[in-house]
Amino acid sequence: MHVFTKPARWLAAAACGLLAAAVLPVGPASATPPGGGSPQIPGRYRHQQLDWQPCPGGSLECASMSVPRDWYHPDAGPSLTIAVSRHRAADPAKRRGVLMMAAGGPGASGLPRPARLASYSPKLADAYDIVGFDQRGVGASTRVVCSDQEKVDTIFGGGDLRDRSAAAVRQTFDRARDFVQDCKHNSGGLLPYITTDQAVHDMDLYRELLGVEKISYYGPSYASFLGAYYATEFPRRVERVVLDSNVDFTGDWQSFLRGQPMSFQRRFEQDFLPWLAKNDATYHQGSTPEEAKASYERLRAALHDRPLNVEGTVITPNHLDAAATDALYNADKFAGFASLLGFLEHPDQAPTETRKAVAAQLRHLMSADFVADFFAVTCGDTPWNRDGRYWAEESAEATRAHPLAGARELTYASVCANWPHSKTPRVKVTGEGLPPVLMLNSKDDPATYYEAAVRAHQGLAGSRLVTVEGGDHGQFQNRNACVDAHVEGYLLDGTLPAEDTGCPAAQR
């Protein structure tokens, strides 16, 4: 997620009777067949064989499958390619099924993820074939293409996104319209089909080609949204579902993303600045949170007045804010960002190797590949307000109240305000007809904030929420023994807490 969630490196059923909930058609192009699930799938898709081969440079097997561009009209338009991967169960005698996982973003690659999960949890690697994929629009699958990297760097890195002058606001809208025109021109009619709803049909074909009736699922960040949609549209195809660091999949992207400036600011002020002040002897940014915040603002103002050229990378206030938001995802990153603050204050005192490393780290705030898919999904999945005046006023307040991430709200929202109108079905997630779902979220998560996770939990009948102290993003695979025990206990034995419960923060 980064969902405002993660920039580049930095920076988420149709029902019948008692089944999950309804997919409400929006226009004839989105009509869902009676009874839910996929339309009739042509044999050329259903009868594919996955030709598994070793993935380059790793422990996984990789293959590719062909899917319809539009699942509601599978004979219309060219087919798309979805890259898939798997880690075979280490102990066939203990194998209990398939565990499918997906990546966050939207825009991140899921293809390598099974290797990391298998390494982290040998118990799960013994019991499951762990499978992953690059979602349509991403990575080794058919990709959506928007602006080139140079233009993306200008949109997200140029100037100062806190600038609320009429000229700056107008320029933001102009750049957004230009970006959307690039997306439409360069993607060859693909944009309407890079959505979560279309992706879950890809997932169900993948399940079928794997030869299993049901899958279990683990999804962090945006992948919680993807998993909730899959379970809703295919309730009879899921066995055990774990959703980690949750987007509010019961609502819409506009409402969810509007909440992120608050949660990034909260993590910055309640967690990072006190940590920085506590370590003033090392980083010299101030011995109180207030002094540390003042140091940050002084550095930011200096970059506003005179952007810093480091080995060819021009560092602006936007680069500083992006580095800060990236560091907030996990407390393990605090020290690296604190060191960066010191470097930016005295860059000439750093050795050449350090200067080159910082230049490479900060060169691109957002990768062109990432933002293309991010906006295709978040702008196309659910409706957006298209009133420019509304966004100018709303983003001005977000910038004033929560400047760290609020300053970028106008850039993000203006892209979606100009996005082509979508005929994507509205998916209503309720949890009806599903097995119990295990949900995980930390209290101070900056990207998938706790308030949204609680709303999603309340809207997902039968779910159990494990609340984790602290603010890291991503709870499982984060060296938290309490969380790991809940996840492994559920996926291996079906053990769930009797009611909502909690875990302490991960111990470092």
Side-chain angles (χ1 to χ4, degrees):
M1 229 226 171
H2 215 238
V3 238
F4 229 135
T5 169
K6 226 167 182 179
R9 318 171 291 285
W10 297 347
L11 264 21
C16 184
L18 295 178
L19 296 184
V23 175
L24 306 178
V26 182
S30 299
T32 301
S38 292
Q40 186 63 39
I41 306 172
R44 66 181 180 277
Y45 298 117
R46 295 191 66 180
H47 301 148
Q48 298 176 79
Q49 298 293 318
L50 294 176
D51 182 18
W52 294 105
Q53 301 292 332
C55 298
S59 61
L60 301 177
E61 295 177 301
C62 286
S64 62
M65 66 181 189
S66 182
V67 302
R69 183 180 70 166
D70 180 3
W71 275 97
Y72 299 100
H73 297 86
D75 289 318
S79 297
L80 308 183
T81 297
I82 304 298
V84 299
S85 64
R86 72 177 176 184
H87 183 283
R88 300 295 296 271
D91 187 344
K94 295 181 180 178
R95 183 183 181 276
R96 68 172 321 278
V98 169
L99 176 62
M100 187 177 291
M101 60 185 305
S109 170
L111 206 61
R113 301 293 177 98
R116 182 187 172 214
L117 180 56
S119 175
Y120 184 85
S121 177
K123 294 178 181 178
L124 293 181
D126 280 348
Y128 286 98
D129 290 346
I130 304 173
V131 304
F133 59 97
D134 275 351
Q135 186 175 327
R136 57 171 59 203
V138 173
S141 295
T142 300
R143 293 190 298 113
V144 62
V145 180
C146 289
S147 299
D148 61 26
Q149 188 62 56
E150 183 177 357
K151 187 177 289 187
V152 169
D153 289 344
T154 299
I155 293 170
F156 294 97
D160 185 344
L161 294 180
R162 287 193 195 176
D163 186 351
R164 304 303 307 173
S165 66
V169 171
R170 185 166 54 250
Q171 185 180 60
T172 297
F173 281 118
D174 288 345
R175 287 174 172 172
R177 282 190 290 270
D178 189 35
F179 176 83
V180 174
Q181 286 302 314
D182 283 347
C183 294
K184 291 191 289 187
H185 179 266
N186 294 329
S187 289
L190 188 59
L191 294 187
Y193 312 107
I194 305 299
T195 64
T196 301
D197 170 65
Q198 293 281 350
V200 301
H201 291 281
D202 298 342
M203 291 166 62
D204 199 58
L205 178 62
Y206 186 19
R207 173 204 58 76
E208 185 169 346
L209 297 182
L210 289 168
V212 294
E213 289 295 316
K214 292 186 177 186
I215 60 167
S216 292
Y217 180 85
Y218 167 72
S221 199
Y222 162 67
S224 68
F225 197 104
L226 192 65
Y229 269 38
Y230 180 79
T232 296
E233 297 199 52
F234 298 95
R236 288 167 288 192
R237 299 304 188 189
V238 294
E239 183 178 13
R240 295 169 185 171
V241 177
V242 179
L243 306 179
D244 184 349
S245 300
N246 295 267
V247 177
D248 181 10
F249 40 75
T250 63
D252 58 57
W253 280 110
Q254 176 177 304
S255 297
F256 176 76
L257 292 177
R258 279 187 58 200
Q260 283 192 329
M262 173 278 297
S263 53
F264 274 103
Q265 197 73 32
R266 175 172 63 194
R267 172 74 155 159
F268 183 66
E269 295 185 355
Q270 295 185 7
D271 292 349
F272 175 71
L273 291 178
W275 177 92
L276 188 59
K278 182 180 177 181
N279 290 278
D280 184 49
T282 301
Y283 300 108
H284 312 295
Q285 297 294 319
S287 59
T288 66
E290 294 75 18
E291 291 176 353
K293 185 176 183 180
S295 293
Y296 181 91
E297 292 297 331
R298 281 194 299 272
L299 175 58
R300 196 185 188 284
L303 292 172
H304 173 91
D305 295 340
R306 182 177 294 181
L308 182 64
N309 190 321
V310 178
E311 303 294 328
T313 295
V314 178
I315 300 171
T316 70
N318 302 328
H319 290 82
L320 181 65
D321 289 345
T325 56
D326 177 58
L328 299 179
Y329 277 78
N330 192 289
D332 286 346
K333 296 184 175 184
F334 285 6
F337 180 61
S339 296
L340 177 65
L341 295 175
F343 168 87
L344 293 175
E345 289 178 326
H346 305 288
D348 295 336
Q349 298 178 14
T352 301
E353 294 77 11
T354 301
R355 292 174 58 84
K356 289 181 177 179
V358 170
Q361 176 190 352
L362 299 184
R363 185 161 293 127
H364 306 306
L365 272 71
M366 305 275 282
S367 84
D369 289 342
F370 180 92
V371 297
D373 186 76
F374 177 88
F375 285 114
V377 173
T378 57
C379 299
D381 267 359
T382 56
W384 280 76
N385 187 317
R386 294 171 178 268
D387 184 344
R389 179 173 297 180
Y390 168 84
W391 284 115
E393 294 174 354
E394 160 63 27
S395 62
E397 174 58 21
T399 301
R400 184 199 65 77
H402 310 296
L404 187 65
R408 67 189 185 186
E409 182 176 88
L410 184 63
T411 298
Y412 283 69
S414 58
V415 171
C416 288
N418 284 282
W419 202 257
H421 285 276
S422 173
K423 294 180 180 180
T424 301
R426 295 300 307 276
V427 178
K428 183 175 176 58
V429 177
T430 67
E432 295 177 15
L434 295 180
V437 173
L438 180 64
M439 300 177 65
L440 317 165
N441 226 91
S442 70
K443 283 186 175 179
D444 288 345
D445 189 319
T448 52
Y449 47 97
Y450 187 67
E451 294 85 348
V454 170
R455 289 197 299 270
H457 167 50
Q458 292 171 341
L460 189 61
S463 60
R464 305 283 196 280
L465 177 61
V466 177
T467 297
V468 183
E469 299 297 327
D472 284 354
H473 178 69
Q475 304 313 309
F476 185 50
Q477 304 179 84
N478 193 35
R479 294 172 288 161
N480 187 318
C482 175
V483 168
D484 294 351
H486 280 298
V487 173
E488 292 179 339
Y490 178 47
L491 290 176
L492 294 172
D493 304 317
T495 304
L496 275 173
E499 56 188 16
D500 294 347
T501 188
C503 282
Q507 299 298 309
R508 298 293 190 249

